Each structure stands twice: as C-alpha cells, then as structure tokens.
Amino acid sequence: MNIIKHFWIILFLFPISLLAQNTETETIFNPKIATFWANAEYIFENGNFAFLETRLHSTKGANSFDAQLGYEFRFSQKWSGGLAVRKNWQEKYDWLSGRIYAAHNGKIRSIEFLKILSAEYFRSDFQKLWRTRLQLAISRNFQLKKGFLRPILSFELFKEYPIPENSYPKRIFDRSELRAELAYAPIKNFSFSFFYLHPTDYFKVLAIYNAQNQLISPDRNLNILSPTFGIRLHYYLSNPKLAPERSLRNLGY
C-alpha cells in the first residue's frame, strides 16, 4: 500500500507546495478547449507494441492538430521502455518533439499503477528545450454485463531546460497535467472514453515599477490553467498468440 500513499501525497500536496513558494500567486484561466483523441496500437507476440495517437484541439475558432508515432519495448512483466515522435500543426506556429521513456506497470489486487519517466527534446519556431516528465496513473476495471468500465486518474509533471540557458526566474516545475478519464469497452479491442484534462503552466513574474519607481505589481507566481474536455477512441490489434493482458492500458505514452 506504500505506492498508493506516495501517489496521493504527490497528487494533493504538490499544488500546496507550489503555493507555499510565494504568497503572491496570480491565476489565469484560458478559454475552455474541446479535444478529440484517437489511439491505435498493434501488440506483437513478444509484448512490444507500435502505437499511433492523434489529437484535434479547438478553442474559440482556433484549431490545432498533432500526431504521435512510437514504439514500446517490453523488458519484463512490469518494465518497458519506448521512444516516440510528435508533430503539431497550428495556425501561429508548429512544433516537433522526440521522447524516450521508461515505464513500470504494477498491480495491487484490482488496482493498476503506471509510472513513466521521460526525457524529451522539444523544438518550435521560436523555442528549443529539453524537458523531463514524470507521470503517475492509477486505473481499475469494473466488469459489466457487456464490456467493462475503466476509470483512470493520471498526474504528470514537467521540468524544462531551455537551449540556450537563460537567467529568467523559474519555478520548481514548469507544467503539470491532471487527467480524469472514464473509459468504456463494449467490445473486444475497442473502447471510447470521456475525460477532463487540467493543464497548468507555472511562471514567475518580476515586479513592475512606473517611471517614479513606484511599485505597480510585486514579484509573483503566475499559474495559467487551460481546462480541456475531450473524447478518446482507442483501438488495438494483437498477435493471436498473445494473451489480451495489455488491452486498454493507461495510455500513458
């Protein structure tokens, strides 16, 4: 049960630790985003699998689309690792990222745990950086007369390292993503789900003074939230010799 305790400690105490860094914290909410995700996988006999993920985002008439292609290697029953490339297209600028990661899948009774540590290179038209990502996710299947339900709770942290380095003030973490998802698998190899994604970007803003050197706004933390509501479709194929033990994983890639 230590894993469960650690997960909840990180999940609930992390926002408190951010606010504790500075009593002055400003929060801005971006317009709500609607998104549609589609995932497809092919699982090989040895447990390795190739995957494709596409995402379509829409907010206030502005749309963006990205696609991720990757491959995951299964090293043991619990350990795996993979690599992926993601490309994004949008009206103002495009970006490209490459990522390698290590994943650990565990299970305590009927509750499944996924832990992923990633290193990622990110490049856009105006920015280059390395970033590390840590994801923790839990899920459980609830059998129904036809198919099953699978609630998923995921929390991810991002730490960025700009290229070239700069002296801008930084927070401990640059971004977090909380995802609550409910998936339904009515038939073999297919599921659809509804989810809420709560991304938050963390910045540190320096004080602003007027021409008379009077303080207009103090040093403060800035949190920018982008509430996102989405639908996901997921389909996978597997080698007939492989038991369906990897079906409908947490989709942490």
Side-chain angles (χ1 to χ4, degrees):
M1 299 299 291
N2 287 334
I3 298 178
I4 300 177
K5 292 179 180 178
H6 291 164
F7 178 86
W8 289 113
I9 288 173
I10 293 174
L11 182 61
F12 289 108
L13 294 188
F14 170 71
I16 297 175
S17 68
L18 285 174
L19 294 176
Q21 297 176 43
N22 194 325
T23 55
E24 295 288 341
T25 300
E26 179 184 357
T27 300
I28 297 176
F29 286 85
N30 281 331
K32 293 182 176 63
I33 300 171
T35 184
F36 173 76
W37 298 2
N39 295 74
E41 304 165 5
Y42 182 82
I43 307 176
F44 298 92
E45 183 178 352
N46 59 5
N48 296 352
F49 68 90
F51 58 88
L52 172 67
E53 179 180 66
T54 61
R55 300 181 178 186
L56 176 63
H57 313 277
S58 178
T59 177
K60 280 195 171 181
N63 299 322
S64 68
F65 176 80
D66 64 73
Q68 177 179 214
L69 181 65
Y71 191 89
E72 184 165 311
F73 301 87
R74 187 172 187 178
F75 305 127
S76 67
Q77 187 69 21
K78 296 183 177 181
W79 287 96
S80 60
L83 47 88
V85 176
R86 183 185 293 275
K87 173 68 174 178
N88 175 277
W89 298 267
Q90 51 186 301
E91 295 179 3
K92 295 182 179 180
Y93 68 93
D94 300 338
W95 56 260
L96 177 71
S97 68
R99 182 166 68 102
I100 58 174
Y101 64 89
H104 180 269
N105 288 275
K107 192 171 184 179
I108 298 179
R109 296 184 179 179
S110 58
I111 300 177
E112 299 177 31
F113 297 84
L114 175 67
K115 289 81 66 182
I116 299 181
L117 180 62
S118 305
E120 182 176 26
Y121 175 73
F122 177 95
R123 186 176 75 175
S124 69
D125 296 338
F126 60 88
Q127 185 181 37
K128 296 180 182 179
L129 57 86
W130 286 96
R131 65 183 178 188
T132 55
R133 299 167 56 176
L134 173 64
Q135 181 183 17
L136 305 173
I138 60 174
S139 58
R140 181 185 176 186
N141 288 350
F142 292 89
Q143 198 66 41
L144 304 177
K145 290 184 178 180
K146 184 177 181 180
F148 60 89
L149 286 175
R150 183 181 181 88
I152 301 170
L153 185 63
S154 171
F155 183 66
E156 192 167 9
L157 288 174
F158 298 74
K159 178 66 176 178
E160 298 180 352
Y161 305 90
I163 303 172
E165 295 184 9
N166 56 57
S167 58
Y168 296 124
K170 298 278 290 180
R171 305 278 288 276
I172 295 177
F173 296 101
D174 296 281
R175 182 179 175 89
S176 68
E177 290 187 1
L178 176 65
R179 173 169 55 92
E181 184 168 358
L182 181 62
Y184 174 53
I187 59 175
K188 181 181 178 181
N189 296 10
F190 173 78
S191 74
F192 65 89
S193 61
F194 299 94
F195 64 88
Y196 172 70
L197 187 66
H198 191 80
T200 306
D201 293 291
Y202 303 101
F203 301 94
K204 187 175 286 290
V205 181
L206 297 179
I208 300 176
Y209 296 85
N210 61 18
Q212 290 73 40
N213 203 32
Q214 296 173 327
L215 180 65
I216 298 176
S217 61
D219 291 340
R220 65 195 186 279
N221 291 334
L222 175 63
N223 299 345
I224 301 180
L225 283 67
S226 305
T228 303
F229 298 87
I231 298 174
R232 182 207 300 271
L233 299 182
H234 174 224
Y235 182 77
Y236 80 96
L237 291 173
S238 63
N239 188 291
K241 298 181 180 180
L242 181 69
E245 56 192 82
R246 295 297 296 274
S247 64
L248 197 60
R249 69 196 293 268
N250 286 318
L251 301 179
Y253 51 76

